[in-house]
Structure formats: structure tokens, C-alpha cells
Amino acid sequence: MDSINTLANYLTNHSASIASEVVDEIIGRFEFHIPKEEIIQAKQMYNEFIVFLADSLDCEEGSAPEVLMEWSKKNGETTAKSGLEISQILMRYPDTRIVFADYMTKLGMEYQLGTQDVVMIIKRVNHILDLSINETVFAFERYKDHLINAAQNEIKELSNPVVPIQDKIAILPLIGKIDADRTDHLLNHVVPRIQQLHIHHLIIDFSGIVNINTEVAMYIFNIQSVFQLLGIEILITGIRPELASRIVQAGIDFTTIKVYGNVKQAIENIQ
């Protein structure tokens, strides 16, 4: 125990120089360039890491230093923002483990620690690094999901545009592939927007649809009842023969909806 305490004091008193030496050796193993700012941050972070390691040598395994977890989180988010893969970060950890294991083994021999104590220290280092890896991956996934959701919402907005063309008349061109998620967006976001524009006649144009199944088509046609309650008349245009055939086979009722071959015919009817 005296040897471990002596080693702990050495780590605490020389944490900055040890961190600098360890980071330099880790980076020397990489076959890719590391920005100078990132090197400085890594040395600061590992300085805290080594102090925490020294304080925890005679304790049970527990949490990782807060500065390490914050750095790991930032690392994951920065990687996601840059459009890089998480593998760009994970590929660094094997070399980091090796360098720390070699360094702690060397110190253990210098301070005449037993094999069991050296193994314990290396396990402690690996445990903290594992927590760091987990936080990095979690932060990467959270931010990546945020970017994906933001992009999907933007696509939904662009693919369900409400286009006012005349006083109290607007067109809703349905573009691309229509699925249950987009129809839900149509009901919860597009319908309120149409109401805010004080539209009396809405032309829903199907000519830009790439693919649509019968269930979704039925859902879209049933939305007309929502518009009717809002006092908005629905006109349908651009239904291709194959879609019309599919809808008829599904038993969707067209009798309450005005259907036209194209937008021009619908506008002429309104006027």
C-alpha cells in the first residue's frame, strides 16, 4: 500500500508532464494529422485524468473525471457536426490503451509494485477509458439523430409546400414518396398552416407522387373531412390511372370529392 501511495503522489505532482508525455507518444503512433488545438485540449484533459487516477488508486472502481466526460461528449458532437464517422474517434483508443498500459507498467516496476497492483492500475485506466468511449459514442449518436430529424423535418416541409396562387386559393403539391410519417406531418403541420392562410379552396395535386400505397391514399382522402369542418373545399388533381385503379379497388369514396385531370381545370372550375 505504501508503494501505491507513493506512486499516487508522484502521479499527482507530475500530472502535467506525464500527460504531455503520454499524449505525445499516443499521437506519435497515429498515421494521421491531429490539429494543435486538439493536442492542447487532450493534454489538459489527461492532466485531470491522471490526477483522478491517482486519487482513485486505493478506491473501488467508480466514475470517470467530469472533465474527461465533457471532453468525450464534445468530441462526439464535433465529429458528428463535421460529417465524419464515429470510427474516426474509436480508432484512436487502442493506441491510447497500449501507451497507458506501457507507461503504468513502467511506473509500477520503478515503484516496485506487485503484479496484482499493476494489473489493478491498468484495469482502472481501461475502465475510465471505456466510460469515455461510451460517452463519446452516445454524444455522437444523439447529435447524429438530431441532425437526421432536422433534415427529415426540412424535407417534410419542402415536400408538402402550401402554395397560394390566388385570393383564398392554394395548391398542395404532393411530391416524392408518401408514407404514414408524411401523412401524419400533413395532418399536424400543413392543415393548421392552410387554416392560417384563410384558404377557401385547396387543390391537392398527386402528379408528383413517386409511390403511394392504398392505406396511405385512403388516409389522405379521409383528411378531406377535416378540411370540410374548417370550411375548406378540396379539389384533387393529377391522379394517374394506376393510382386511380388502386384507390377504386380499395373502396375509397370519390363521390364527395371534386377530381380533375390537372390544376388548370381545377382553377377554372373554382372561377
Side-chain angles (χ1 to χ4, degrees):
M1 182 60 69
D2 289 340
S3 296
I4 290 182
N5 289 334
T6 303
L7 174 58
N9 290 331
Y10 174 81
L11 293 175
T12 300
N13 295 329
H14 299 83
S15 59
S17 60
I18 294 173
S20 180
E21 183 178 347
V22 167
V23 170
D24 288 341
E25 186 171 347
I26 292 172
I27 293 174
R29 290 172 168 265
F30 295 161
E31 297 180 356
F32 46 86
H33 173 71
I34 301 295
K36 182 177 180 180
E37 181 181 352
E38 187 175 338
I39 295 175
I40 294 173
Q41 291 176 349
K43 289 182 178 181
Q44 292 173 345
M45 181 272 294
Y46 278 120
N47 183 15
E48 297 277 353
F49 176 91
I50 291 168
V51 172
F52 177 87
L53 177 64
D55 291 340
S56 65
L57 287 184
D58 59 349
C59 303
E60 296 296 326
E61 288 186 359
S63 61
E66 185 63 29
V67 65
L68 174 64
M69 302 308 286
E70 285 299 319
W71 181 83
S72 303
K73 178 180 177 181
K74 182 179 179 181
N75 210 12
E77 291 180 351
T78 300
T79 303
K81 290 178 183 178
S82 303
L84 301 174
E85 298 297 331
I86 191 64
S87 58
Q88 296 292 321
I89 293 179
L90 297 181
M91 63 187 298
R92 304 179 185 187
Y93 276 88
D95 288 321
T96 302
R97 289 178 183 276
I98 291 173
V99 170
F100 264 106
D102 290 346
Y103 199 92
M104 292 304 161
T105 299
K106 181 182 70 172
L107 288 179
M109 295 176 62
E110 290 179 4
Y111 283 86
Q112 299 181 341
L113 298 182
T115 302
Q116 186 175 357
D117 289 332
V118 174
V119 170
M120 180 271 294
I121 294 173
I122 294 175
K123 285 179 61 179
R124 187 66 50 81
V125 170
N126 288 337
H127 172 70
I128 298 173
L129 289 176
D130 285 341
L131 294 178
S132 172
I133 292 173
N134 289 342
E135 183 59 33
T136 299
V137 173
F138 294 154
F140 178 90
E141 291 179 343
R142 284 194 301 268
Y143 197 85
K144 204 73 170 180
D145 288 343
H146 167 72
L147 293 178
I148 292 173
N149 290 334
Q152 288 177 340
N153 289 333
E154 184 175 350
I155 290 172
K156 290 174 186 176
E157 293 293 333
L158 294 173
S159 60
N160 289 328
V162 179
V163 185
I165 56 173
Q166 294 182 19
D167 184 33
K168 299 180 180 180
I169 302 175
I171 300 176
L172 175 61
L174 300 179
I175 304 169
K177 183 178 179 180
I178 304 295
D179 53 20
D181 188 46
R182 277 192 59 191
T183 53
D184 182 69
H185 179 269
L186 180 65
L187 180 61
N188 294 316
H189 297 276
V190 179
V191 172
R193 189 187 315 157
I194 293 172
Q195 187 180 19
Q196 293 171 0
L197 293 172
H198 304 292
I199 299 300
H200 288 183
H201 304 278
L202 178 66
I203 302 170
I204 302 180
D205 184 60
F206 282 74
S207 59
I209 290 180
V210 175
N211 186 29
I212 186 172
N213 59 41
T214 304
E215 181 181 355
V216 173
M218 183 178 295
Y219 185 78
I220 291 176
F221 277 91
N222 287 339
I223 289 178
Q224 66 156 323
S225 60
V226 177
F227 286 111
Q228 286 178 343
L229 291 173
L230 298 174
I232 301 173
E233 181 183 24
I234 300 300
L235 299 88
I236 301 296
T237 64
I239 296 181
R240 294 191 295 272
E242 63 271 20
L243 179 57
S245 175
R246 199 180 306 168
I247 292 172
V248 170
Q249 292 175 2
I252 299 176
D253 184 12
F254 274 87
T255 59
T256 59
I257 307 175
K258 294 182 179 180
V259 181
Y260 299 91
N262 54 57
V263 172
K264 181 176 180 293
Q265 294 176 356
I267 295 175
E268 290 174 348
N269 178 269
I270 296 172
Q271 294 175 336

